[in-house]
Amino acid sequence: MGSSMSFGQDVDDLSTDDDDAYWSFGLSADLPSAHVFASNRMILMETRQQYLAQYPHLDGVLQQMEIVAGAHVPVHDTSGVPIAVLSIAWAQPVNFYSTIRSVLATIADAVGQTLTRAALYDQEHELIVELQAALLAPVPEVNGLEIAVRYEPAVSVVGIGGDWYDAMLTDSGRFVAVIGDVTGHGAQAVALMAQVQAVIAHLTRIDTPTPEVLQHASSMLATAGSYATAQIVEIDVVRQTLRYVN
């Protein structure tokens, strides 16, 4: 049987009436996992008697969870800094000879690598989301038009991709909306999307004919070894005309 615990506020009352007390505690708590994290050393309890010799206040929870033996192993990041504690419990006495200790250390290393990769992925994902949000320009106000936009990735599990929208007024006063998607996901797709978006927006604002805008964008993508789909809609409110290219 195994369990995971998170470090939160200090827990003064460790009675079995409060189940939540065992899942959130501070580093100063008198608990094996807290001591392991603070000391960066493995704690092994081969019998319940060993548990109660050091942690007599855990008698109730050990009986309730039928824990007889337990291993509490520090989990490190790639630089060797403890980031978590791996706690594994047994319902019978365990002899932690050298082979089992090596296995526990190997498992803890694998957990540490997984947590580190997950943290890096979360950081990269957050950075890409912020970058992509910053690239989505605010929609201008246009007399005679009601404009609303909404952006939401279709499948968040896959990752942030190179899709974007843009809306602008040209020098001649036409309103232009762009919806596009560069192939791929992640930072590379977002970076390439930013380049394509900038090219299309600049050429559109100076009233470059729309087919030529897409030709320039296609040439840039071909140089980068990628491709994209895009739709450009032009609305002339004064003349009440609409044109689109894809």
Side-chain angles (χ1 to χ4, degrees):
M1 118 180 51
S3 65
S4 61
M5 299 184 179
S6 61
F7 296 108
Q9 62 184 17
D10 290 342
V11 176
D12 296 324
D13 180 12
L14 291 177
S15 65
T16 55
D17 294 335
D18 184 6
D19 292 338
D20 292 337
Y22 300 102
W23 311 116
S24 178
F25 52 85
L27 292 179
S28 61
D30 189 15
L31 296 170
S33 295
H35 293 164
V36 168
F37 193 90
S39 66
N40 196 22
R41 293 184 177 182
M42 184 185 304
I43 291 180
L44 303 174
M45 298 294 181
E46 296 186 339
T47 64
R48 183 174 293 173
Q49 288 72 26
Q50 288 185 359
Y51 262 122
L52 296 179
Q54 296 187 42
Y55 306 99
H57 54 288
L58 295 183
D59 186 24
V61 71
L62 293 176
Q63 293 188 43
Q64 180 183 2
M65 300 182 68
E66 300 182 354
I67 296 175
V68 174
H72 307 272
V73 188
V75 175
H76 306 98
D77 62 13
T78 54
S79 61
V81 176
I83 57 175
V85 174
L86 172 66
S87 294
I88 305 175
W90 286 263
Q92 65 279 331
V94 176
N95 181 10
F96 291 109
Y97 49 86
S98 59
T99 301
I100 292 183
R101 296 186 184 208
S102 297
V103 171
L104 290 171
T106 300
I107 295 174
D109 287 342
V111 172
Q113 294 174 20
T114 301
L115 291 176
T116 300
R117 286 195 297 269
L120 291 175
Y121 173 82
D122 288 342
Q123 292 173 6
E124 179 184 4
H125 182 80
E126 182 178 355
L127 177 62
I128 293 173
V129 169
E130 292 177 356
L131 173 61
Q132 191 173 44
L135 293 171
L136 298 176
V139 176
E141 294 184 3
V142 182
N143 292 331
L145 291 179
E146 293 185 4
I147 306 170
V149 298
R150 175 183 173 86
Y151 177 84
E152 184 175 354
V155 183
S156 60
V157 176
V158 175
I160 300 301
D163 45 332
W164 85 95
Y165 69 82
D166 205 350
M168 67 207 80
L169 287 173
T170 68
D171 291 345
S172 61
R174 293 176 296 117
F175 172 74
V176 178
V178 182
I179 299 176
D181 186 9
V182 175
T183 58
H185 298 279
Q188 184 176 2
V190 174
L192 188 56
M193 174 267 285
Q195 299 177 49
V196 176
Q197 180 190 27
V199 168
I200 292 178
H202 171 70
L203 294 176
T204 300
R205 284 191 174 94
I206 61 176
D207 284 308
T208 304
T210 303
E212 293 184 21
V213 172
L214 291 182
Q215 289 176 7
H216 283 289
S218 297
S219 297
M220 189 194 74
L221 285 166
T223 302
S226 183
Y227 65 91
T229 58
Q231 292 184 338
I232 302 179
V233 178
E234 301 178 0
I235 300 177
D236 191 322
V237 179
V238 176
R239 297 180 180 179
Q240 295 187 342
T241 60
L242 181 149
R243 297 190 304 171
Y244 74 91
V245 178
N246 59 17

